[in-house]
Amino acid sequence: MATELTSDNFKPEVLESDIPVLADFWATWCGPCMMMAPIVDQLATELEGKVKVVKVDVDKAQDLAQQYGITSIPTLILFKNGEVAKKHVGSMPAPKLKEFAES
């Protein structure tokens, strides 16, 4: 299952991570986000130890949403070595999400 992050633990969990991190920026009122939730959670299980999968609720962490230019959700950002490596706006099927996270 993906780990829920806040502004308080984002830096140590994402920016200081030794492995790549896939961050799912989402909200409870977002239909496409809710459709992606089980796919994201499954991916967290499949990639455990290779890619850390986290979720950031944009309503609870508005500062992070602003910092990373989140204007539409879901937005998926792949972080490598503390830097944004890739960004995707919108939902995607499970195979594409896995490919995105592992690249």
Side-chain angles (χ1 to χ4, degrees):
M1 179 167 247
T3 305
E4 282 280 340
L5 295 187
T6 64
S7 300
D8 295 334
N9 62 359
F10 188 83
K11 183 179 178 186
E13 291 290 332
V14 176
L15 304 181
E16 297 172 355
S17 177
D18 294 335
I19 61 174
V21 178
L22 177 66
D24 175 19
F25 287 82
W26 71 290
T28 56
W29 48 263
C30 168
C33 298
M34 300 312 284
M35 289 179 8
M36 287 287 299
I39 297 169
V40 171
D41 285 339
Q42 177 62 36
L43 191 65
T45 301
E46 285 181 35
L47 298 180
E48 189 172 353
K50 292 189 257 180
V51 177
K52 185 186 298 186
V53 180
V54 300
K55 296 175 73 72
V56 180
D57 185 331
V58 297
D59 289 332
K60 294 178 182 175
Q62 293 177 4
D63 57 326
L64 291 174
Q66 184 176 16
Q67 180 179 347
Y68 290 101
I70 309 301
T71 55
S72 295
I73 52 174
T75 293
L76 299 147
I77 301 179
L78 183 65
F79 290 87
K80 290 184 178 179
N81 300 314
E83 299 290 326
V84 174
K86 291 170 47 172
K87 187 175 184 178
H88 176 84
V89 178
S91 59
M92 66 174 81
K96 288 283 185 194
L97 181 58
K98 186 173 183 182
E99 181 182 313
F100 179 85
E102 291 181 318
S103 63

